[in-house]
Amino acid sequence: MDGTRANGPESERERAGGAPPRRHRIAVLALPGVPPFELGIPSRVFGSAEDAEGRPLYEVTVCTADGAPVLSDAGFTVQPAAGPEALAAADTVIVPPTHAMPELGRGGPLPAEVGAAIAGIRPGTRLVSICTGSYVLAAAGLLDDRPATTHWNLAPEFRRAYPRVKLDEDVLFVDDGDVLTSAGVAAGVDLCLHMIRRDHGAAVANRAARMCVVPPWRDGGQAQYIDRPVPEPTVASTTATRAWALERLGEPLPLTRLAEHARMSLRSFTRRFRDEAGMTPVQWLTAQRLEMAKQLLETTDLSIDLVAHRAGFGSGNSLRSHMRTAFGVSPAAYRRTFSPQDAVSAPR
């Protein structure tokens, strides 16, 4: 997150005192062979995002490249609500995967009608792919020289077909500002929630996640799902230690203390943690502490130093450094963007 919200919905502060703003328009491009689960993710997740008065924040339209129905990979027909005009009018365009364009796996061209529909998207529109929808964006040249991800199982094929894309198959999603890509299947849920969090803050995203009965965020990346030998049943897990650490984020949690709680050697704990969480213990702790700091900034009037202390960063300067590195904004700027309008002012 870079601190900007181009094309994003207005914040509570921006809409204060006026009529409800126009809802952020999302067009979901249904292509032949689309899996129904991934096609339905944007409507379900963004449809669960509401402001404090219960008003919907997004308007989601399913469209096709030519306005005609398409056959899903489940054998039933998807009747779109619109054609390519929805793409041209959208603030965000989301491309779910397709299982009916094998030529894209060889770096082949997009079908003419799909290419024309994508070419009609307005400059500055936020572009998003779910799973192998990344092939469509890549084939259109929209991922050239940019970081992106796709399903880990297709990473070798994707690299051969689109060598200019900076592919990272270890993550659940990549946010490159105006272009976002997700890993396979359920990672699309993670990405949609991330976008709500980026547009409106953690409180709105968390409410949407609860309505969808999914976690607001998941630890780690795709690395934890990649095929690898199943460990012996006797091998210990770090799950209990992660749960224990979440209750103590404000305390010093050196690796030695975590390994001691897990009753493992430091080396075994670090290796097992990375296998299970997809990141190192230090990276995981930092991510959890940042999430806690964001929630405190949104929901309390605590000073920056006290937020930093409660989230385990020790000092306001440390929190500022971590937030600028991770999100491109200071704690004070984040609070101004996402805290309720009537929050009590506190020393910064």
Side-chain angles (χ1 to χ4, degrees):
M1 178 170 150
D2 58 5
T4 64
R5 294 183 298 129
N7 298 311
E10 295 89 341
S11 69
E12 296 288 342
R13 189 177 304 278
E14 291 168 327
R15 74 179 71 147
R22 176 183 65 79
R23 286 182 286 173
H24 184 93
R25 294 177 296 212
I26 296 177
V28 183
L29 178 60
L31 297 168
V34 64
F37 180 84
E38 288 92 324
L39 176 63
I41 287 173
S43 296
R44 188 69 185 90
V45 177
F46 288 107
S48 299
E50 299 177 340
D51 65 14
E53 285 73 44
R55 297 176 299 205
L57 293 168
Y58 299 90
E59 176 184 308
V60 184
T61 301
V62 175
C63 65
T64 58
D66 56 5
V70 296
L71 185 65
S72 74
D73 76 344
F76 59 79
T77 299
V78 176
Q79 179 65 54
E85 69 279 0
L87 300 177
D91 302 307
T92 294
V93 170
I94 300 179
V95 184
T98 169
H99 293 161
M101 297 182 185
E103 65 276 12
L104 299 186
R106 301 185 292 271
L110 291 168
E113 69 277 8
V114 177
I118 290 177
I121 297 172
R122 291 178 295 115
T125 300
R126 185 164 60 181
L127 302 174
V128 182
S129 68
I130 296 176
C131 192
T132 56
S134 56
Y135 281 74
V136 177
L137 297 185
L142 298 171
L143 298 183
D144 286 352
D145 304 314
R146 303 190 72 149
T149 192
T150 193
H151 195 293
W152 63 266
N153 194 42
L154 295 170
E157 175 189 88
F158 189 95
R159 280 197 173 90
R160 288 192 298 270
Y162 306 104
R164 290 188 60 181
V165 180
K166 300 175 182 177
L167 187 70
D168 183 354
E169 70 269 35
D170 289 335
V171 297
L172 291 174
F173 58 81
V174 170
D175 180 345
D176 194 36
D178 60 339
V179 177
L180 301 92
T181 53
S182 86
V185 194
V189 176
D190 299 300
L191 179 54
C192 290
L193 288 171
H194 166 76
M195 292 164 63
I196 295 173
R197 189 177 299 112
R198 178 175 127 173
D199 291 342
H200 293 287
V204 173
N206 290 351
R207 287 199 301 269
R210 285 195 295 271
M211 289 299 296
C212 296
V213 198
V214 295
W217 70 90
R218 285 191 289 164
D219 299 338
Q222 289 194 82
Q224 59 191 311
Y225 302 104
I226 295 175
D227 237 358
R228 54 170 57 91
V230 177
E232 294 296 324
T234 55
V235 173
S237 169
T238 64
T239 302
T241 296
R242 277 179 278 150
W244 174 82
L246 284 174
E247 300 297 322
R248 296 165 175 79
L249 291 176
E251 303 175 14
L253 292 171
L255 278 177
T256 50
R257 188 179 177 193
L258 296 173
E260 180 182 352
H261 180 272
R263 299 184 179 180
M264 300 182 195
S265 69
L266 190 58
R267 182 176 179 182
S268 295
F269 174 77
T270 302
R271 183 177 62 251
R272 171 54 54 191
F273 195 104
R274 182 186 282 274
D275 287 345
E276 293 181 351
M279 60 177 70
T280 68
V282 172
Q283 290 170 330
W284 181 85
L285 273 174
T286 299
Q288 306 311 312
R289 284 170 165 159
L290 282 170
E291 190 63 34
M292 182 177 184
K294 288 195 298 181
Q295 293 193 36
L296 289 172
L297 289 168
E298 290 183 39
T299 60
T300 75
D301 61 352
L302 297 174
S303 69
I304 301 300
D305 283 339
L306 192 50
V307 167
H309 176 75
R310 291 196 180 181
F313 287 105
S315 70
N317 285 338
S318 177
L319 176 59
R320 291 182 186 95
S321 175
H322 278 91
M323 288 197 68
R324 286 193 180 279
T325 298
F327 311 124
V329 296
S330 69
Y334 183 89
R335 171 173 269 163
R336 284 195 298 270
T337 301
F338 292 120
S339 61
Q341 179 185 350
D342 58 353
V344 179
S345 179
R348 299 297 187 263

